[in-house]
Amino acid sequence: MPEETAPTDTTTPAASKSPSGVLGALGCGCAALVGVVLVLVVLLAYGSAGSTDFPRVAPEDMASRAFQSSQEAYDVLGFKRTVEPGVERVGVSTENTFSSGYCYDGGLLGMDDKTVDGAYRMSHSWALDHVPASRAVPGLRRLQQHLKDNGWTVTSYREGGKGKDWDLYVQRDDGDERMSFTWFPDRDYFIGGASVPCAYDPEWKDGDIGPSGDDQTPPALGPSQRGRMPRA
């Protein structure tokens, strides 16, 4: 009887990955990572590139634009009193004032906080005392709907309920233009404000101190003679 021989194992061990293949894979991964980083840098640079690309507009014109927004809101709210320029006691008396602030450059990555020479942002603030719920509540509800219908984005709206404050915050133009309103039922006090986008003062010179426009005075704020103001 012939002897049986054990079958020969003809399989070969799996070939190990060559160093060149591993390095190639690593190279592709690193290249992809570098590509992602470059895309992020480009996007950040693009997003901040226009951050100081403000128009050249005289402060009185930007102040007028802010006032028109307040005038429109005042008419929609239905207030009938006339508020003269100025303020006696902030947070207590009536108010009708302009203010000017700095504009900032976020830098290439949006992480800086530098003021932009010659640039300013105008705001208008107003307030009424002795405003009862019968006038403030329907006025705010009407204003909230009116602004939504006319291109403003409502970022916050809170009906305070019994004894709590009522708030309305809106914006447009990617947040460059804003308005806010608050009614304090505990003291029947109503405040409003409007701010407009940054602009360069054409008359600004090197060495000028403070933001432009801080010497502006608003006209009296009251019921519009022409009805509701057009969209600024």
Side-chain angles (χ1 to χ4, degrees):
M1 184 175 182
E3 295 182 359
E4 294 184 359
T5 59
T8 303
D9 186 1
T10 59
T11 61
T12 58
S16 60
K17 293 183 179 179
S18 65
S20 60
V22 174
L23 292 176
L26 289 175
C28 292
C30 291
L33 180 59
V34 170
V36 171
V37 172
L38 287 175
V39 169
L40 289 175
V41 170
V42 170
L43 289 175
L44 287 170
Y46 176 80
S48 62
S51 61
T52 60
D53 188 20
F54 309 134
R56 297 177 64 83
V57 185
E60 54 267 28
D61 293 333
M62 296 305 287
S64 176
R65 179 173 169 179
F67 183 84
Q68 286 184 19
S69 292
S70 291
Q71 179 69 72
E72 177 184 0
Y74 199 86
D75 286 333
V76 175
L77 286 163
F79 295 141
K80 303 301 182 183
R81 294 162 58 189
T82 297
V83 185
E84 296 298 329
V87 57
E88 292 183 5
R89 297 178 61 191
V90 175
V92 177
S93 66
T94 60
E95 179 179 359
N96 176 16
T97 59
F98 281 136
S99 60
S100 178
Y102 290 104
C103 297
Y104 296 89
D105 178 9
L108 179 63
L109 299 180
M111 300 177 67
D112 294 335
D113 194 21
K114 300 177 181 177
T115 58
V116 180
D117 290 342
Y120 66 96
R121 182 191 296 273
M122 292 299 305
S123 299
H124 177 251
S125 300
W126 60 272
L128 275 179
D129 52 4
H130 308 301
V131 180
S134 60
R135 187 167 293 276
V137 170
L140 273 172
R141 287 172 174 166
R142 185 167 57 248
L143 179 62
Q144 185 259 157
Q145 187 61 51
H146 171 83
L147 294 175
K148 283 177 61 177
D149 293 342
N150 284 271
W152 292 84
T153 299
V154 176
T155 57
S156 177
Y157 177 57
R158 180 182 65 174
E159 295 192 352
K162 188 175 181 179
K164 295 183 179 180
D165 300 344
W166 289 56
D167 298 308
L168 172 61
Y169 295 87
V170 299
Q171 66 178 35
R172 66 183 177 189
D173 296 335
D174 295 325
D176 286 339
E177 194 166 0
R178 300 170 182 265
M179 285 199 289
S180 63
F181 310 89
T182 301
W183 176 60
F184 303 93
D186 59 334
R187 49 198 175 102
D188 289 345
Y189 194 69
F190 197 106
I191 61 174
S195 64
V196 292
C198 288
Y200 284 113
D201 180 4
E203 302 297 325
W204 185 86
K205 302 179 182 63
D206 287 336
D208 286 352
I209 300 175
S212 300
D214 56 0
D215 58 346
Q216 298 296 309
T217 301
L221 177 66
S224 174
Q225 298 300 316
R226 298 177 297 168
R228 294 179 182 176
M229 296 291 291
R231 186 179 186 273

